[in-house]
Amino acid sequence: MTFSTSTLDYIKQQAEKAKEIARALGAPDVTAQGILGAIGEEYESLGIEEVVQKARVNSYSHEEIKANYEKVAADAQLLKDVVNANKFDKGIIKWNNPALNDVGPGNIKIMTAIELLNNYNNSNPVADPLGIKGYNQDYKALVGDLSDENNVLSLKFAALMLQEAQQFYSTRASSAWSTYDQDTQDAVLITYYNNGKEWATERADKFAAESPGALYAPKPGGGVSGGEVYLENAEQIK
């Protein structure tokens, strides 16, 4: 899938911001191109559903979002249900649980954003290289700024998700990871971005169980996983 002109224009508008974020974060293998690729793949697929979600989730207060996040995080069955439900039932679950909604140009789940923010706090007990600690006490602003395609926050959280992915693969696939060129690394990280840590862990564990002692070499995902889409558009993103 080749990105549309509107998506490529949006990526171009965000390019310098992505470079600044990658430099500020200073995470190994997290590049501006990877950040833009993650955002671009999601931006390409935005539709009316995202408009409706944006209006609804932005109506919640900090306290309401925090309470729902804590409720959802403690309910393992609900997290399974939202993954496995049909489109109608999934919509009902998301309607009743704002933390499970994806928002903004990066299509970032609110629950994931809060988890990334918590991890960022732990990794940066004093410093605040991305300037996002102010959101700890204002989840309403977090959701509002993530929802705004003209706000840089989606790029920052995309970078944090790619950093989490890099840490995962540099541990679980260290031998193969060091042999990948930058485009392949970006594509694998974007695949993680689209699917999440639980998915990546299940795949790595399955490979280890089925092929003991073999070299695990994750590949860019096709379709909605976004990795192969990134590779198709990489030259235009750079």
Side-chain angles (χ1 to χ4, degrees):
M1 177 183 73
T2 302
F3 285 159
S4 64
T5 300
S6 61
T7 296
L8 291 172
D9 286 346
Y10 181 74
I11 288 172
K12 184 178 180 180
Q13 293 166 12
Q14 308 303 316
E16 290 304 316
K17 298 173 187 176
K19 291 176 184 178
E20 292 172 6
I21 290 166
R23 284 194 296 267
L25 186 61
D29 305 324
V30 176
T31 67
Q33 289 81 13
I35 295 169
L36 294 169
I39 293 289
E41 192 275 333
E42 296 294 346
Y43 188 85
E44 181 74 18
S45 63
L46 292 178
I48 187 63
E49 182 179 351
E50 285 73 26
V51 175
V52 174
Q53 285 177 336
K54 177 180 177 179
R56 179 164 174 77
V57 298
N58 275 280
S59 69
Y60 288 95
S61 67
H62 167 78
E63 291 75 16
E64 289 171 325
I65 296 169
K66 183 174 185 290
N68 186 250
Y69 163 74
E70 292 172 349
K71 167 183 170 289
V72 169
D75 191 338
Q77 187 58 52
L78 180 62
L79 293 173
K80 291 180 180 178
D81 289 345
V82 74
V83 171
N84 298 322
N86 60 46
K87 186 174 183 179
F88 177 80
D89 289 341
K90 184 174 294 188
I92 295 297
I93 293 172
K94 288 186 174 184
W95 184 266
N96 292 323
N97 294 281
L100 293 176
N101 283 264
D102 305 323
V103 294
N107 208 32
I108 297 169
K109 193 180 303 297
I110 295 169
M111 180 177 181
T112 299
I114 294 172
E115 291 173 342
L116 289 170
L117 181 59
N118 290 339
N119 293 338
Y120 174 86
N121 293 330
N122 293 333
S123 298
N124 299 278
V126 177
D128 187 8
L130 296 185
I132 59 175
K133 286 189 175 180
Y135 293 106
N136 285 307
Q137 303 304 320
D138 195 349
Y139 289 167
K140 182 176 179 63
L142 173 69
V143 172
D145 289 347
L146 283 173
S147 300
D148 182 1
E149 70 176 50
N150 296 312
N151 192 293
V152 74
L153 194 62
S154 286
L155 298 177
K156 293 180 178 181
F157 275 83
L160 291 176
M161 188 67 169
L162 296 181
Q163 180 185 39
E164 179 182 284
Q166 189 278 336
Q167 291 169 346
F168 177 86
Y169 287 121
S170 64
T171 300
R172 294 300 301 266
S174 57
S175 296
W177 188 254
S178 62
T179 69
Y180 290 170
D181 62 26
Q182 189 61 63
D183 283 348
T184 302
Q185 287 186 348
D186 287 341
V188 172
L189 297 183
I190 290 169
T191 300
Y192 180 108
Y193 176 93
N194 279 286
N195 291 281
K197 186 173 185 177
E198 183 177 352
W199 173 90
T201 301
E202 287 178 356
R203 288 179 69 89
D205 288 347
K206 183 174 185 290
F207 180 87
E210 295 177 350
S211 308
L215 176 68
Y216 181 50
K219 299 185 182 304
V224 295
S225 290
E228 291 182 357
V229 172
Y230 169 76
L231 291 175
E232 291 177 28
N233 293 276
E235 290 304 317
Q236 296 187 76
I237 294 172
K238 293 179 182 178

